[in-house]
Amino acid sequence: MNSFSRYDNSMAFLAKVDDDWAGLIELVGPCRHDPKAAREPYEALVRAIAYQQLTAKAGDAIIGRLKALFEDRDFPRPEELIAADFDAMRACGFSASKIATIKAIAEGALTGIVPSREDAVVMDDETLIKQMIIIKGVGRWTVEMLLMYSLERMDVLPVDDFGVREGYRALKSLAEQPKPKELRKISEAWSPHRTVAAWYLWRMPRERGNVLK
């Protein structure tokens, strides 16, 4: 059984929303959303910060250099990141603000603000978001990436994400992107499949005008 077949129901649901959604799904093909469910929330948050405003290739390189600072580790432990040398982390490619946020996440993992995976799986989305955005530098988008890619939540739409809003603008041939609050309201019609909806919106061609027609 194809591991991506679990998205078949979501694809069928979204294709019935309207002709634009049907056209986008036909153009892009089957959903290939690929969460990394084995990761602890702590690691997922650190990775999300590392990849912010970067290409996947650049983010991979930075994470690779960070892991190289800690031999024989799949990923550094929170106490190791707290103690990590600032200049060494800068040399990995992190900005000063990202270093501060990563160290704050590590501290949060030790104090319980960042829950273990075992605890996180029984917490609802909004509870997790409200608990973790108290960490300086961690916003709603960062936690939403954790929900989508580490906890495999299926009804998350990161409405603050430029790519999601731009994808919807292009899908509907709008003159400008919808505001986050407006898109959140619109997306209620896509529930409970908004994670898959986000995956497709990220892949919507961005030319002006509806390229699906």
Side-chain angles (χ1 to χ4, degrees):
M1 180 176 173
N2 188 316
S3 63
F4 295 112
S5 63
R6 56 182 161 165
Y7 304 127
D8 288 351
N9 288 340
S10 297
M11 292 165 54
F13 179 93
L14 293 170
K16 292 178 181 178
V17 170
D18 59 32
D19 290 343
D20 290 329
W21 273 104
L24 175 57
I25 290 169
E26 182 178 2
L27 176 70
V28 175
C31 178
R32 293 289 185 264
H33 175 57
D34 189 21
K36 305 299 181 185
R39 288 177 181 158
E40 284 287 319
Y42 149 73
E43 178 181 347
L45 284 180
V46 171
R47 286 177 176 272
I49 293 298
Y51 282 81
Q52 275 184 358
Q53 300 177 319
L54 296 175
T55 64
K57 183 177 180 180
D60 288 344
I62 289 175
I63 287 293
R65 289 192 287 269
L66 176 67
K67 291 167 67 175
L69 296 178
F70 306 92
E71 295 182 3
D72 303 321
R73 291 261 184 273
D74 288 334
F75 200 80
R77 295 192 299 257
E79 57 268 28
E80 292 174 324
L81 283 184
I82 291 171
D85 180 73
F86 177 88
D87 291 335
M89 292 186 71
R90 283 287 282 159
C92 292
F94 292 108
S95 66
S97 61
K98 284 189 176 183
I99 292 171
T101 299
I102 287 170
K103 287 180 177 288
I105 290 169
E107 290 175 358
L110 295 181
T111 61
I113 294 175
V114 179
S116 67
R117 180 174 178 77
E118 182 180 7
D119 290 335
V121 294
V122 298
M123 299 170 68
D124 65 67
D125 294 355
E126 287 302 319
T127 299
L128 284 164
I129 290 170
K130 289 176 181 177
Q131 179 167 317
M132 287 189 274
I133 61 173
I134 67 173
I135 300 172
K136 186 176 181 180
V138 173
R140 186 181 181 93
W141 178 91
T142 306
V143 185
E144 287 170 335
M145 294 302 103
L146 180 155
L147 294 172
M148 296 172 71
Y149 287 96
S150 182
L151 297 179
E152 300 185 275
R153 301 292 170 88
M154 288 295 294
D155 198 30
V156 179
L157 190 83
V159 296
D160 297 309
D161 187 277
F162 177 89
V164 166
R165 287 185 287 120
E166 178 63 9
Y168 187 76
R169 182 208 62 74
L171 179 69
K172 292 299 180 180
S173 304
L174 303 176
E176 58 185 29
Q177 294 180 358
K179 301 297 184 185
K181 185 176 181 180
E182 178 186 1
L183 185 56
R184 192 178 304 283
K185 182 66 176 177
I186 292 168
S187 76
E188 290 176 2
W190 313 337
S191 182
H193 306 282
R194 284 180 282 191
T195 295
V196 173
W199 189 90
Y200 277 103
L201 290 175
W202 275 321
R203 287 156 180 81
M204 174 67 200
R206 306 299 169 80
E207 292 87 351
R208 286 283 172 181
N210 195 326
V211 300
L212 302 177
K213 295 179 179 178

